[in-house]
Structure formats: structure tokens, C-alpha cells
Amino acid sequence: MREVSQPAAEAIRMVDVLRALADPVRLDIVQRLAVTGEESCNAIGEDLDVHQTTLSHHYRVLREAGVTWTTIQGRSRLVRLRREDLDALFPGLLASVLNGAAAQTDARAAAPREARGSAR
């Protein structure tokens, strides 16, 4: 199994992590990885309505910011969160971002139900 060029843990900067997490598509990728642990780039991309070249860009941004770790296994690229590194460097940051994203997703899902209920 090979690894792709990515920053060492001590080179990860908070500003780069926050910039990477600020994009909705990248945040979706991170949320999914938080649940699955590790997935191939192709599996993650199947659920996102994003062109393959754009998706590759998002994976690169996450990797270069130190949010994800990518390994190559045969013809597949496996991606996982660098949760331990991020938690050691910025305690609570990843958990807060994921909790905030989940709350926002829940609010969006509940909004149509509330709108239907108030129309009665």
C-alpha cells in the first residue's frame, strides 16, 4: 500500500483545516468519513453530485490541509480522517465542526415538515 504526499502532523495549520472544512462538498465528505472510517474515493463520490475532476480537487484540498489521509491500494485511493492528529493538535475542533454540520443538516431536514405543519 502506497501513500500520497501529505503533511506531517506537526505541519498541519488550523487556518488550512478551517479553510478546507468551509466548503459544503468537503464538509459532506468529512461527515461521511466520520461515519464510515475509511472509504475509496469512488465510493464517496457516488453519492455526491459533483464532477470527478472537481471531486479530485476536493480530496486534494482535504489531504493537503491535513484533514484526511490517503493511501493507494492497487488502483483505489482510500481516504480516512486524520482524527487523532487533528484532535491532538486542535482538541474538540473536528467534533465541533461535525456536530455543527449535523445540526444544520437536521434543521434543513426538519424545515419542510415545519412548513407543512404550519400551513394547516
Side-chain angles (χ1 to χ4, degrees):
M1 197 174 327
R2 292 188 303 144
E3 293 179 354
V4 183
S5 175
Q6 39 217 343
E10 56 275 1
I12 298 173
R13 297 179 4 184
M14 183 182 290
V15 68
D16 296 330
V17 171
L18 293 174
R19 189 175 296 128
L21 294 173
D23 184 275
V25 173
R26 292 192 291 265
L27 190 54
D28 285 347
I29 292 169
V30 169
Q31 284 181 283
R32 181 167 170 153
L33 289 172
V35 172
T36 62
E38 181 178 68
E39 277 194 85
S40 74
C41 292
N42 293 337
I44 297 169
E46 289 174 356
D47 293 337
L48 300 173
D49 187 25
V50 178
H51 193 274
Q52 181 60 45
T53 55
T54 304
L55 198 54
S56 293
H57 165 75
H58 289 306
Y59 289 133
R60 182 180 52 80
V61 170
L62 288 168
R63 185 183 73 246
E64 290 177 354
V67 176
T68 61
W69 190 265
T70 303
T71 53
I72 299 173
Q73 186 175 19
R75 298 180 85 182
S76 297
R77 288 179 181 247
L78 301 175
V79 181
R80 68 180 183 273
L81 286 179
R82 292 181 71 171
R83 187 180 295 269
E84 289 180 15
D85 290 337
L86 293 172
D87 287 345
L89 291 165
F90 318 113
L93 176 68
L94 187 58
S96 294
V97 168
L98 291 170
N99 288 337
Q104 189 174 29
T105 301
D106 292 346
R108 279 195 307 250
R113 286 190 303 229
E114 291 171 2
R116 285 193 306 264
S118 64
R120 291 181 184 177

